[in-house]
Amino acid sequence: MAQAAMRKETSGGIDPLADYLGVLQMPTEHLVERVRAGFPFPELEALRVRLGMTLHEAAGLAGIPGRTLARRRQAGRLDPSESERVLRIERLFALATQMLRDGDRARDWLKSPKAALAGQTPLDYADTEVGAREVEHLIGRLRHGVFS
């Protein structure tokens, strides 16, 4: 998501978390426009790197079957529904990074089962919009000291 462009200056220089938090800082209307247009394929590649998984694993999280993945790679763009699912995962990663103040710890947290999510990982639980909202609520409770 043009992460480098989203870097924020702080009193001590460039905020090292800004690359991870860009999706939380973009205006909603910009995100809606980008989703409607379909994300460029490299957006999925960048998410894969952030989450430390294979392209097929990241595509699976975004609900993109293998054969479709090959077509999207060739076309260079995801469709709007796939883009929306990628955005959902990017948002959860950004929220977890904000909570933990570290991208590596956020990735590990998202991949670890949570009792509050019926023993599923936050990434698995977020395969639906309802599940993603519950993961967001869990992050909010943890940020405010309400341990679930």
Side-chain angles (χ1 to χ4, degrees):
M1 291 211 139
Q3 297 298 335
M6 297 304 297
R7 287 195 174 130
K8 285 203 154 187
E9 294 289 329
T10 63
S11 59
I14 292 179
D15 180 356
L17 293 178
D19 280 349
Y20 295 122
L21 304 180
V23 69
L24 300 178
Q25 299 165 347
M26 285 186 184
T28 301
E29 52 276 2
H30 179 70
L31 291 172
V32 168
E33 188 178 297
R34 290 190 74 238
V35 166
R36 286 178 177 160
F39 286 172
F41 189 82
E43 188 98 16
L44 181 61
E45 294 270 4
L47 180 64
R48 173 197 75 76
V49 170
R50 274 187 230 107
L51 293 175
M53 39 179 59
T54 68
L55 184 57
H56 284 280
E57 289 170 330
L61 287 175
I64 305 171
R67 292 179 70 170
T68 303
L69 179 64
R71 288 195 307 274
R72 297 296 184 255
R73 178 183 284 179
Q74 187 173 17
R77 186 162 295 281
L78 304 177
D79 77 13
S81 63
E82 295 158 351
S83 299
E84 191 161 37
R85 290 187 297 265
V86 167
L87 177 62
R88 177 191 306 157
I89 299 162
E90 286 178 339
R91 180 171 170 72
L92 292 177
F93 180 76
L95 289 169
T97 299
Q98 193 175 52
M99 173 179 70
L100 297 167
R101 307 294 301 159
D102 181 83
D104 291 337
R105 289 177 56 206
R107 179 186 61 235
D108 293 343
W109 186 87
L110 288 167
K111 291 179 169 184
S112 300
K114 307 290 177 247
L117 302 174
Q120 294 183 46
T121 71
L123 286 176
D124 289 338
Y125 205 77
D127 66 342
T128 65
E129 187 62 29
V130 173
R133 293 289 170 240
E134 185 57 31
V135 174
E136 287 183 18
H137 292 302
L138 175 59
I139 290 170
R141 290 191 306 269
L142 292 171
R143 287 188 72 191
H144 292 93
V146 181
F147 296 97
S148 301

